[in-house]
Amino acid sequence: MSPWDLFVSLFVNVLLWIYDVVGQNFGLAIILFTILTRIVTWPLNASQMKSTKVMQDLQNDKEWQDIQKKYAKDREKLAQEQMRIYRERGVNPFASCLPTLIQLPIIFALYQSITRSLATTPLSLLQLTRSISSFLDVSSLIPLNSKFLWMDLGQPEFVPVFGFNLPTLAIVVALTTYIQTKLTTPPSSNPNDQSAAMARSMSLTMPLMLGWFALTFPSGLAVYFVTSNLLGIAQYAMMGKANWRSLLPGGSKPVTPAKPSKK
Amino acid sequence: MKANRFVLFLALALGALFLSACGTPVSASWPGLAASEEAAYLATGPYVYAVRLEDGEELWRFPEKADGKLQFYSNPVLTNDGLVLLGSSGTGHNFIAVDAETGNEDWSFTGAQGAWQASPLVVDNFIYAPNTDGFLYVFDLNIEGDDKLAWSLELDGPLWAMPATDGQYIYVTSLDHRLHAVDPQTGSVAWTLELDGAAPGTPAVDADGMLFVGTFGKSIQAVDTSRRAIAWSIPTEGWVWGGPLRVDDVLYVGDLEGNFYSFNSSGKPDGEQFQPDGPILASPLVIGEQVIFVTENGTVYAAENGTDPKSLEKMEGKLYTAPVAAGDLILVAPFQGEFLLVALDQQGKQAWTFTPGN
């Protein structure tokens, strides 16, 4: 078994342990497991949010914008000046990236542990049998009860409405992803700059991408997406970082550039 | 900010890769296999191939062009009137009957809510098809037209195993630890029995009213169908995935811990327990005087006259699919191997191999 498989197996065992403890309800197990991983990664998320805010504030700083204009045609000099400002203000440009990178394997392992636990095919059931520790009575757990509310967590979710299969959960995933992306994107002083364009693009592509995943993959994954999005929104709100105005039409107005400041 | 953008793109790219490729796809599994006197039928992914037994040449494939919603992995089943029955375990839950000669679709059913992991059982003109949605769907081939569904019955629990029959009842095992005896005359459950674990394999039924089934409860359970009760239960070292094979008075079965057992119908060991080179998932096969079984490590074994099984052939890939007899040939379908289908003679010599062309 590869190290990655071992890592995913650890997640599978925790997920199935929760499933067993909560009375064999896999939907509830996914929600609790997502909360657990959010709690474990809370410091990383908080650190990322703070660092992103610092970097965003820097983008709106007048001195920063001045050097962008001044050295627009001299990339080398611009880089030197940017590094100088980083040094002077004690900003680490990679501080907001590192937590994201550390969280990526956790997110992927969580996804794989959900799909592996659902074991909708003989091959995935075989993989599951080899992932489980002896402390769990696997034979009593299989098959997992994949029914949760109106959903079969092993299948993509649809609700028949007037003869049409409406993918309600995929819509909720897209909507909560959109809200989370908008809330966590601070307004930029210059909506035409690259980072603002990037943020606008992300606020559309992320909901569409995750919505598409929710549409085509087992709905257990969509339950994870929705829970994770709601917890993310809650965490931003608790830290006072949520930008609620950006949800309103015209709410992402540019902010006035801050005056230069030195630490 | 450049670093942030890079991480964002990296996260998206890796996310898409992991979510769509590295996780187990909804439908991935090992191949299904069946054979008639002229052809082998191999269900693997988007296609079902008909392969000529004489030389291993492709006769036809269904569908002609892959449909992203259809994935075929369960064993195809042949009817007496020349149809091959196929169930899709992709996002399209189609149950399809195709002409065995031409590969053209004859009729299909799209009303199931789950995947078709189990092969159907054909009795006279009726098809008993269990689905992972927990329903047993029954089709009547006497019905004219495309809609051949005669009735369906909810049994609960995912149904992964091909049913068995003693002529009176249709026996359906489920992953939710149950054995259902369905009365085909009334279309209802006559009785249900609790097993000690999930039962993904087809039960073996004998003429004396005994039914044998392997379970994930690490046992072989014998059910006395006249008393509707467990007659005996023998522990195994590992989970039993494939259904047991009954030849004369001896029951053959393998487990996931890599043991091959033989019992008599009273549950007493018949010969020594044998340990091949790997776990056994597939049901054994009898051909001539030999009992053939395959292991995950890609080895085909043959046991004869109570002697220790001997290795016939070891091939690249994992053998999860039950071997199939086709005349004098033994057909095996390796998973993740060099070939999709390999034909062996009874001495283990390769007769031909099959790899589909473009």
Side-chain angles (χ1 to χ4, degrees):
Chain A
M1 197 181 272
S2 70
W4 175 252
D5 268 340
L6 280 173
F7 188 52
V8 175
S9 296
L10 174 71
F11 274 57
V12 168
N13 281 280
V14 176
L15 186 57
L16 291 186
W17 178 77
I18 296 171
Y19 168 78
D20 203 18
V21 166
V22 298
Q24 307 207 340
N25 183 323
F26 198 58
L28 200 55
I30 291 173
I31 291 169
L32 290 175
F33 191 43
T34 310
I35 293 172
L36 184 69
T37 50
R38 271 280 175 177
I39 291 171
V40 171
T41 57
W42 179 285
L44 288 172
N45 281 324
S47 156
Q48 185 196 357
M49 285 177 211
K50 280 178 190 164
S51 303
T52 305
K53 183 73 171 59
V54 169
M55 288 298 292
Q56 198 68 44
D57 288 346
L58 195 63
Q59 297 291 309
N60 296 330
D61 186 277
K62 190 162 185 315
E63 187 185 3
W64 182 270
Q65 290 178 357
D66 285 346
I67 63 160
Q68 303 291 322
K69 285 176 194 162
K70 192 173 177 184
Y71 302 111
K73 291 180 181 171
D74 186 350
R75 309 300 291 176
E76 197 177 331
K77 183 67 181 168
L78 178 63
Q80 284 173 3
E81 286 297 304
Q82 284 176 335
M83 288 310 292
R84 177 184 62 77
I85 294 178
Y86 285 145
R87 268 198 313 274
E88 285 177 4
R89 312 223 178 149
V91 174
N92 180 356
F94 293 99
S96 61
C97 315
L98 196 61
T100 309
L101 284 176
I102 293 171
Q103 284 180 74
L104 279 178
I106 296 171
I107 294 166
F108 297 149
L110 187 62
Y111 159 70
Q112 289 199 13
S113 65
I114 289 170
T115 52
R116 191 178 291 187
S117 299
L118 283 166
T120 54
T121 67
L123 184 63
S124 56
L125 180 57
L126 182 64
Q127 287 172 337
L128 176 66
T129 64
R130 288 165 176 176
S131 304
I132 302 175
S133 296
S134 54
F135 77 90
L136 287 167
D137 180 11
V138 195
S139 66
S140 70
L141 294 181
I142 289 176
L144 256 61
N145 172 19
S146 61
K147 298 281 189 296
F148 180 59
L149 301 176
W150 69 95
M151 294 168 274
D152 179 349
L153 298 170
Q155 298 287 331
E157 180 266 2
F158 296 99
V159 175
V161 179
F162 300 119
F164 176 74
N165 282 333
L166 191 69
T168 49
L169 208 55
I171 293 168
V172 174
V173 167
L175 203 63
T176 53
T177 310
Y178 177 77
I179 292 171
Q180 189 185 18
T181 315
K182 291 295 276 184
L183 287 182
T184 54
T185 308
S188 167
S189 60
N190 177 10
N192 294 323
D193 73 15
Q194 275 189 320
S195 60
M198 182 76 185
R200 280 198 302 275
S201 163
M202 284 302 299
S203 68
L204 287 176
T205 48
M206 280 298 283
L208 288 176
M209 189 178 81
L210 294 191
W212 181 76
F213 283 144
L215 197 66
T216 50
F217 285 93
S219 52
L221 187 65
V223 170
Y224 157 69
F225 284 145
V226 172
T227 311
S228 184
N229 286 344
L230 293 177
L231 291 171
I233 293 167
Q235 187 177 5
Y236 277 101
M238 284 166 71
M239 293 177 72
K241 308 273 184 196
N243 178 21
W244 297 102
R245 277 189 197 168
S246 64
L247 289 178
L248 302 170
S252 303
K253 283 180 181 168
V255 295
T256 311
K259 287 179 181 174
S261 60
K262 287 194 178 183
K263 278 192 175 178
Chain B
M1 210 55 201
K2 270 184 184 173
N4 275 339
R5 259 181 276 148
F6 169 73
V7 169
L8 210 54
F9 274 122
L10 185 71
L12 275 176
L14 283 175
L17 183 73
F18 268 77
L19 290 173
S20 61
C22 298
T24 305
V26 174
S27 55
S29 200
W30 50 83
L33 182 61
S36 66
E37 287 179 5
E38 291 85 29
Y41 301 93
L42 181 74
T44 178
Y47 295 110
V48 176
Y49 299 95
V51 180
R52 191 160 53 213
L53 288 179
E54 199 180 323
D55 53 10
E57 288 298 310
E58 180 178 327
L59 294 169
W60 50 257
R61 68 177 66 180
F62 178 86
E64 281 183 23
K65 207 173 173 186
D67 177 338
K69 291 184 175 176
L70 301 181
Q71 295 284 319
F72 301 100
Y73 293 105
S74 60
N75 291 330
V77 170
L78 291 140
T79 67
N80 291 331
D81 56 351
L83 294 175
V84 185
L85 304 175
L86 314 169
S88 164
S89 49
T91 50
H93 304 137
N94 302 33
F95 185 82
I96 305 164
V98 301
D99 188 307
E101 288 284 327
T102 62
N104 294 331
E105 183 174 323
D106 195 74
W107 57 269
S108 69
F109 169 73
T110 55
Q113 299 300 308
W116 298 96
Q117 306 289 8
S119 298
L121 172 72
V122 180
V123 182
D124 299 327
N125 277 320
F126 287 91
I127 298 166
Y128 299 90
N131 188 275
T132 55
D133 64 9
F135 278 81
L136 176 70
Y137 294 89
V138 181
F139 304 95
D140 183 352
L141 291 173
N142 293 316
I143 296 175
E144 293 291 329
D146 277 356
D147 185 6
K148 297 195 183 297
L149 183 69
W151 48 273
S152 62
L153 179 65
E154 186 169 14
L155 296 174
D156 289 329
L159 308 176
W160 281 26
M162 182 182 181
T165 185
D166 58 1
Q168 184 184 6
Y169 295 122
I170 305 297
Y171 296 102
V172 186
T173 56
S174 74
L175 287 193
D176 66 346
H177 310 191
R178 288 193 180 97
L179 168 72
H180 304 276
V182 176
D183 185 343
Q185 301 301 321
T186 61
S188 60
V189 177
W191 51 272
T192 297
L193 198 62
E194 198 75 25
L195 302 172
D196 65 358
T202 304
V205 188
D206 74 9
D208 301 327
M210 292 294 286
L211 178 145
F212 308 94
V213 60
T215 74
F216 283 1
K218 296 183 181 177
S219 76
I220 301 292
Q221 298 201 282
V223 177
D224 185 339
T225 58
S226 58
R227 289 195 299 117
R228 303 176 178 184
I230 305 284
W232 50 259
S233 185
I234 297 174
T236 53
E237 285 182 31
W239 289 10
V240 180
W241 194 300
L245 169 73
R246 193 165 188 280
V247 182
D248 299 328
D249 193 36
V250 183
L251 205 63
Y252 298 96
V253 71
D255 72 15
L256 282 184
E257 287 297 313
N259 298 289
F260 188 70
Y261 308 87
S262 50
F263 304 108
N264 64 27
S265 57
S266 307
K268 302 276 183 270
D270 185 273
E272 291 293 310
Q273 182 177 320
F274 178 74
Q275 286 193 309
D277 66 351
I280 300 169
L281 270 81
S283 297
L285 161 77
V286 63
I287 180 166
E289 299 293 312
Q290 292 184 318
V291 173
I292 307 292
F293 63 95
V294 296
T295 68
E296 185 183 42
N297 290 18
T299 306
V300 182
Y301 286 89
E304 198 171 352
N305 297 329
T307 57
D308 264 0
K310 62 174 194 268
S311 168
L312 278 188
E313 171 77 343
K314 182 168 173 61
M315 57 191 69
E316 193 183 306
K318 296 168 179 172
L319 293 177
Y320 296 135
T321 306
V324 167
D328 291 336
L329 296 174
I330 302 162
L331 303 178
V332 286
F335 176 63
Q336 297 173 339
E338 186 182 1
F339 307 109
L340 283 188
L341 184 60
V342 179
L344 305 172
D345 67 18
Q346 289 183 40
Q347 283 69 50
K349 192 179 164 199
Q350 222 173 68
W352 48 260
T353 60
F354 170 72
T355 306
N358 292 326

